[in-house]
Structures are given as C-alpha cells and as structure tokens.
C-alpha cells in the first residue's frame, strides 16, 4: 500500500468578532469569569455564512495550495455536527461549488472528534487505493445551535472551518490513528431535538473525563507513530478549553520547545473545525515547518476521541 501525507492546508473564519465584554451585555457573565474558566477572549460568529460557505472557502484554499486540479480529488469528507441541511450533504455542496466532478462526498458527525476521525478515514481510503487525493474538512457554525441565554455554553462556542488535502505518498506522513469512544458518557455532550437543536453539556463530567482519560490515549498515538513527545514539533488538540489543553499537555510531558496550539483563546471552541483551523494557522505563521511531526488529537461528543501524528505540508 502507498503511504499518505497532508499535501496542503486551508482555513477560514467569519469576520465578526464577539468579545467577552459583548457577551457580558447579553448574559450574566464577565470577561474575568470567562477567561478564568475557559481561557477564551474572543470568538468569530458567522452572520450570513452557512456551514457549507465556511467549508467551501477553507477547502478552496487547501485545494489551491495543493496545486491539484478539482477533478483529481476522489473523496471529500466534511466533519460537522452543526450543518442545518441533512441532504444534500455539505460535502456534496462543497464539491459542486469547487467544480469537483465525481468524487464520493459525505458528511461525518463525530462531534468535536470529527476531523481526526475523517482524516483517518481519508488516510485509509487513499492507502487502499479508493482515491489518490482526498479533501478533509472540519466546518462548524456553532452559533446556530447555541442557547444564547445559557452562560455556561454560549461563552464557549465559535464558528469556522479548516481543511486538508490528503494525497498518496512514497513516505508516511500520516501516522496510525488511535480512536474510540466511551458510550457510557455519551449524553455528557448533546445536540438534541434534530429540528431545532441546542448545544448542551455536563461541563464537569466532560472536564473530569478529558483531564483524566485523554493524555494516555494521545501518548499512544505518538508511540504508534514510532516517536516520543521529544520528537514532536507541535501539539494541536481539540480547542475545547484552555484548562483542558494545558492539563493534557502537562500530563504528556511535552518539552518546553514544542509549540502548543492555543487558538481557543481567540477562536473559542469551533468543534470539528478546531484542529484543522489551529494547525493551518500554525503553518501559515511559520510556527511549524514542512516535514515537522505534529500530534493531532480530537475529543468530544460521544464521548469520542481520535488522534494521529502527521507531518506538516
């Protein structure tokens, strides 16, 4: 079987910035309260843009950066839990807008763990010869599903999209996935009532689970790639909460010179979009270089997780 690699990245966020002070004018909260509990300072909110709009822009940037023609893409997956349209899939809409003629296109809902789950699926499909090039997108408009009167959740969420082109390669640029779920805690994160969904979570349950369970799983992904944490150039976990990110990184024993993605501070929790969005920004700013090994690790509703080590494009 061939190897695989991430050939290119792209990202997109809405223009409107919602600050903590803006939220304090809407609900009983404050900048200090939000920062202390989540680390978040701002988030982006899409007014007119849909999930498909966000996904198309991010995917278009990744496709352009890859140098591939649209007809060379054989698989498109959009990881999302907030798309309003059930059919056609967001992936099919993106394919049509980008002029991709006959790729298999489908959406994947694994909550905040969606992007790394979809990335693993694309990796496996390319290795098996089902496609030579795949487009993997994480896109969310969480502002559509948030209860703006609930201060425990409305301060967390934001909108955005990130995308990666996965291509066949002579060398391995995407490591083995570590993935799974804890269905006994599946109800801890919810988007209930499919026709008018509202995001809800048992915050303490999620926090305890994340800070006590995830570090050994993330370390397993590093070990399956044949590396140690000292070999990593960066760690990009799901941008759920700064306290969770810092706890997981601390338990991993990551050296001080490893770059830690903390995009949650300016973008909030963008669910399935958070990891590709943060990774694309690190690459764009030059904080990671082509070929650098980066641990990606997502977690969330399900309660699910998925992660792998990738080489930066």
């Amino acid at each position: 079987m061939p190897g695989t690699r991430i050939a290119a990245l792209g990202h997109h966020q809405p223009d409107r910035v919602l600050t903590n002070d803006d939220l304090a004018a809407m609900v009983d909260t404050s900048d200090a309260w939000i920062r202390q509990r989540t680390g978040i300072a701002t988030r982006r909110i899409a007014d007119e843009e849909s999930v498909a709009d966000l996904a198309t822009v991010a995917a278009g940037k990744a496709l352009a950066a890859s140098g591939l023609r649209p007809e060379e893409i054989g698989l498109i997956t959009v990881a999302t839990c907030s798309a309003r349209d059930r059919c056609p899939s967001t992936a099919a809409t993106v394919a049509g807008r980008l002029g991709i003629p006959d790729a298999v296109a489908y959406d994947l809902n694994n909550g905040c763990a969606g992007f790394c789950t979809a990335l693993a699926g694309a990796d496996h499909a390319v290795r098996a010869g089902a496609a030579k090039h795949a487009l993997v997108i994480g896109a969310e408009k969480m502002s559509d599903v948030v209860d703006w009167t609930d201060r425990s959740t409305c301060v967390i969420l934001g909108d955005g999209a990130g995308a990666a082109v996965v291509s066949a390669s002579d060398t391995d640029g995407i490591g083995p996935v570590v993935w799974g779920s804890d269905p006994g805690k599946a109800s801890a994160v919810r988007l209930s009532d499919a026709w008018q969904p509202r995001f809800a979570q048992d915050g303490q349950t999620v926090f305890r689970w994340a800070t006590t369970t995830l570090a050994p799983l993330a370390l397993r992904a590093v070990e399956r790639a044949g590396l140690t944490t000292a070999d990593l150039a960066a760690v990009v976990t799901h941008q759920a909460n700064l306290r969770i990110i810092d706890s997981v990184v601390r338990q991993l024993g990551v050296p001080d010179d490893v770059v830690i993605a903390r995009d949650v501070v300016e973008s909030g929790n963008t669910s399935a979009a958070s990891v590709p969005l943060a990774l694309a920004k690190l690459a764009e700013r030059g904080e990671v270089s082509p070929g650098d090994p980066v641990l990606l690790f997502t977690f969330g509703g399900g309660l699910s997780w998925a992660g792998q080590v990738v080489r930066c494009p």
Side-chain angles (χ1 to χ4, degrees):
M1 288 186 181
T4 57
R5 65 186 178 94
I6 294 180
L9 297 164
H11 68 91
H12 174 65
Q13 290 179 280
D15 292 333
R16 182 158 76 96
V17 177
L18 187 68
T19 68
N20 291 344
D21 288 335
D22 293 332
L23 284 165
M26 300 164 55
V27 294
D28 181 18
T29 191
S30 67
D31 177 64
W33 189 91
I34 297 169
R35 286 177 185 265
Q36 180 183 3
R37 288 161 177 79
T38 70
I40 298 170
T42 61
R43 68 286 294 147
R44 300 292 187 95
I45 302 297
D47 293 318
E48 301 299 328
E49 291 173 289
S50 67
V51 171
D53 294 332
L54 299 169
T56 299
V57 177
K61 290 178 179 178
L63 182 60
S66 74
L68 295 170
R69 301 184 305 277
E71 59 268 25
E72 293 181 90
I73 300 296
L75 166 66
I76 305 172
T77 307
V78 175
T80 184
C81 64
S82 59
R84 286 189 171 188
D85 295 333
R86 299 297 189 265
C87 186
S89 68
T90 302
T93 301
V94 171
R97 292 180 180 181
L98 295 181
I100 297 171
D102 56 6
V104 60
Y106 65 90
D107 293 351
L108 182 151
N109 179 0
N110 198 24
C112 302
F115 178 78
C116 285
T117 306
L119 182 63
D123 168 46
H124 298 163
V126 172
R127 288 177 185 273
K132 188 173 181 180
H133 305 283
L135 193 52
V136 183
I137 309 158
E140 301 282 18
K141 188 177 180 181
M142 298 304 291
S143 60
D144 268 354
V145 298
V146 69
D147 179 355
W148 291 104
T149 67
D150 178 7
R151 74 168 186 169
S152 68
T153 56
C154 74
V155 303
I156 300 171
L157 303 171
D159 304 335
V165 173
V166 175
S167 295
S169 172
D170 292 333
T171 58
D172 276 334
I174 300 176
V177 68
V178 171
W179 53 4
S181 66
D182 184 353
K185 297 184 179 67
S187 63
V189 180
R190 303 175 295 282
L191 260 174
S192 54
D193 186 355
W195 301 111
Q196 193 175 1
R198 287 293 177 262
F199 177 86
Q201 68 173 358
D202 301 330
Q204 287 302 312
T205 298
V206 174
F207 184 84
R208 286 193 297 269
W209 174 79
T211 55
T212 59
T213 304
L214 297 179
L217 298 169
L219 183 59
R220 191 183 305 167
V222 177
E223 293 169 344
R224 291 200 66 191
L227 302 173
T228 69
T229 55
D231 299 314
L232 298 173
V235 174
V236 184
T237 68
H238 169 46
Q239 303 291 292
N241 177 308
L242 192 59
R243 293 167 62 201
I244 292 175
I245 294 169
D246 289 344
S247 174
V248 171
V249 168
R250 185 170 57 251
Q251 292 177 63
L252 284 173
V254 174
D256 292 340
D257 60 345
V258 174
V259 176
I260 309 300
R262 294 185 172 90
D263 188 52
V264 67
V265 175
E266 64 179 39
S267 298
N269 178 344
T270 56
S271 187
S274 76
V275 161
L277 184 62
L279 177 62
K281 285 184 177 182
L282 289 183
E284 184 176 71
R285 293 194 298 259
E287 294 183 44
V288 288
S289 302
D292 279 352
V294 177
L295 170 64
L296 308 182
F297 197 80
T298 55
F299 54 88
L303 292 170
S304 299
W305 62 86
Q308 58 273 97
V309 173
V310 304
R311 298 279 175 175
C312 286

